[in-house]
Amino acid sequence: MHLNGRRVSRETQERLEHFVALFQKWARSINLTAPSTLDDAWNRHIADSAQIFQLQPAPFIWVDLGSGGGFPGIVTAILLAELGDGWVHLIESNHKKAAFLRTALRETGGRGSIHAVRIEDAPSIVENCDFVSARALADLGKLLAYIEPWAQRNAGLRAYFHKGRDYRAEIEKAHGGWGFDLLEHKSAVEQDSVVLEIFNLQRVA
């Protein structure tokens, strides 16, 4: 099977398919995503989420903020399982969604753990990481404030954020309080969308 042009094993495909089935089942009773995206979960969520791991396809330690329905955190955890190394710390304060995420990890064998805490409290629980991800969570300035504690501990930290068509305005606004280097990766799934890769983060105001 190929995912965004990258081959994955049959076992990984089966894990991803099982996750989609779980996601669609749980989404009927708790609000995991917009109902209009449920039927096209593979393209709208799995393929979109996989783009982040494909930018760093190696066994590293990730923190996924506001994991919600498991995108991209569970997808990253499943792809790490294929490598047999690396880990994802999924941060989700909503206890119903955290229960779903725990079930998804357990049943797919993804490499990760769930922390049902507020994002602001997560750096005291997960002290260090290599990468941070977030999808459909907050504007860029707020995301940068969330990741600052990890960036202070790890100068090499990189963050990957999915953003829609208005991302340039968010970048301009964020530069009012932050200094950072930036790479823009055009989405392979959603036209006018990007994955922003942020590094060398410093507060300037």
Side-chain angles (χ1 to χ4, degrees):
M1 174 204 172
H2 287 81
L3 186 60
N4 297 339
R6 184 183 183 90
R7 185 166 182 78
V8 298
S9 69
R10 176 171 294 189
E11 183 178 12
T12 295
Q13 178 181 353
E14 290 172 351
R15 286 170 166 164
L16 290 169
E17 289 173 349
H18 184 66
F19 172 50
V20 169
L22 280 174
F23 169 76
Q24 291 175 327
K25 177 182 177 181
W26 279 67
R28 296 188 189 104
S29 57
I30 64 174
N31 181 28
L32 295 177
T33 189
S36 61
T37 69
L38 278 176
D39 291 337
D40 192 26
W42 192 267
N43 288 321
R44 291 293 299 274
H45 299 302
I46 300 294
D48 191 37
S49 295
Q51 294 182 98
I52 285 186
F53 178 80
Q54 289 164 341
L55 292 171
Q56 292 288 354
F60 292 104
I61 304 300
W62 290 81
V63 168
D64 185 55
L65 302 178
S67 299
F71 307 111
I74 296 291
V75 176
T76 300
I78 290 172
L79 294 171
L80 285 173
E82 184 168 329
L83 301 180
D85 201 355
W87 200 258
V88 185
H89 295 277
L90 295 97
I91 313 301
E92 176 53 59
S93 62
N94 182 291
H95 287 273
K96 289 184 179 180
K97 292 179 180 178
F100 160 71
L101 295 169
R102 289 192 184 95
T103 300
L105 279 181
R106 183 177 65 251
E107 295 194 14
T108 64
R111 293 185 59 83
S113 52
I114 311 304
H115 306 278
V117 299
R118 297 170 65 248
I119 292 173
E120 293 87 346
D121 297 330
S124 64
I125 298 169
V126 182
E127 293 188 359
N128 293 291
C129 63
D130 302 298
F131 305 117
V132 180
S133 59
R135 181 174 180 260
L137 178 62
D139 67 57
L140 183 58
K142 192 167 187 177
L143 291 172
L144 297 180
Y146 284 153
I147 70 170
E148 183 184 20
W150 289 298
Q152 289 177 337
R153 298 169 191 165
N154 177 10
L157 181 83
R158 289 183 179 245
Y160 297 86
F161 301 136
H162 285 89
K163 287 294 174 184
R165 65 183 63 187
D166 296 328
Y167 71 94
R168 293 190 186 279
E170 289 192 39
I171 293 170
E172 183 176 353
K173 182 179 178 182
H175 272 304
W178 301 93
F180 52 89
D181 291 327
L182 170 70
L183 293 174
E184 298 179 15
H185 302 279
K186 292 295 183 183
S187 173
V189 178
E190 294 283 347
Q191 188 176 5
D192 299 327
S193 295
V194 295
V195 175
L196 298 182
E197 180 175 350
I198 306 285
F199 52 104
N200 294 333
L201 177 67
Q202 292 183 323
R203 188 183 288 267
V204 298

